[in-house]
Every structure is written in structure tokens, then in C-alpha cells.
Amino acid sequence: MRAPDSRAGIICKLERPLATAPTFTERAMTLRARTGSGGAVLLDVSALENVDDLRFSGGLQSPLGGSRMRILYAGDDTVSVEWVDVTAQEQRDIVLVLIGALSAIAAATLIEAVRPIVERHTTKG
């Protein structure tokens, strides 16, 4: 939204690329809008899927827009958005289960490999 006599511009700047987000499951984005007097920009993140723990810093919450929309204007032109990617959490959990299973198999194999040596030493003594 903007006044007819002014131009609004949006600069999207990711503090970190999404692939190297703060953690494996967290994502963050910072948006700065250059608005003239009387202009405003709507930030709507409702298209994000599989999102948990959505947090905003800055901007005004739109009374009709719900919890996934913020209004940026000349007085408050920067907003940060942070969220947790549920799909990445599921992938992380699968990887952790696989690592645990492979570690258990490796430990059992090592115990079985060492058992004959221990039995030899206990029967000699």
C-alpha cells in the first residue's frame, strides 16, 4: 500500500542463507521497507508451510491479517521473522535415529569381536 505520490521499495535481506540458518531447524529473515510518508508495506508469511513457533520483531500486527502478517511503515520499517521448520525437524529426527541404530550395531559388532580374546584370557588364568 502506498500513497499515490510516493514510491515504496522493498529490500529483502537474509542475515544468513537459509541453508546455513541459526540451527538445522530454525529459519530467519529480515525485511526492510523504504516507504515514503503515508506509505506502508504488508508482509504476509502465510504461504510458509510446516511452520512452528513463528516470531516477529518489529512492524505492526494487522488487526484483520491474523498472526502471520505485519505492516511496515516509515516509522517502523524493519521487521525480522524467525520460525522453526517442521520438515527439517522431522529429517533431523530420522538422521538421529539412523545414527543411533548404526552406533548400536557397531557396538554389538565390537563386543562380539573382542569376546573371544577376553574368553581366552579368562580360561588361561
Side-chain angles (χ1 to χ4, degrees):
M1 300 182 311
R2 62 185 162 138
D5 61 330
S6 63
R7 291 185 173 192
I10 298 175
I11 299 171
C12 255
K13 179 183 177 189
L14 295 173
E15 292 296 326
R16 299 173 195 91
L18 289 180
T20 58
T23 67
F24 184 73
T25 60
E26 290 184 12
R27 305 291 185 254
M29 177 179 65
T30 299
L31 182 91
R32 184 170 185 205
R34 290 184 288 189
T35 59
S37 61
V41 174
L42 290 176
L43 171 64
D44 184 4
V45 295
S46 59
L48 292 174
E49 296 179 359
N50 299 325
V51 171
D52 192 21
D53 195 21
L54 182 67
R55 302 173 304 276
F56 286 94
S57 176
L60 293 174
Q61 184 170 359
S62 172
L64 302 176
S67 63
R68 290 187 165 210
M69 185 180 289
R70 290 293 186 269
I71 300 172
L72 289 86
Y73 60 98
D76 191 6
D77 63 350
T78 303
V79 66
S80 294
V81 186
E82 297 177 1
W83 67 93
V84 175
D85 187 345
V86 176
T87 304
Q89 278 184 331
E90 292 170 355
Q91 291 172 349
R92 179 201 59 200
D93 293 344
I94 290 170
V95 168
L96 289 175
V97 167
L98 288 174
I99 289 172
L102 292 174
S103 297
I105 291 170
T109 304
L110 179 66
I111 290 171
E112 287 300 315
V114 172
R115 188 172 57 99
I117 298 169
V118 172
E119 286 177 352
R120 257 188 272 142
H121 287 313
T122 57
T123 56
K124 287 182 181 178

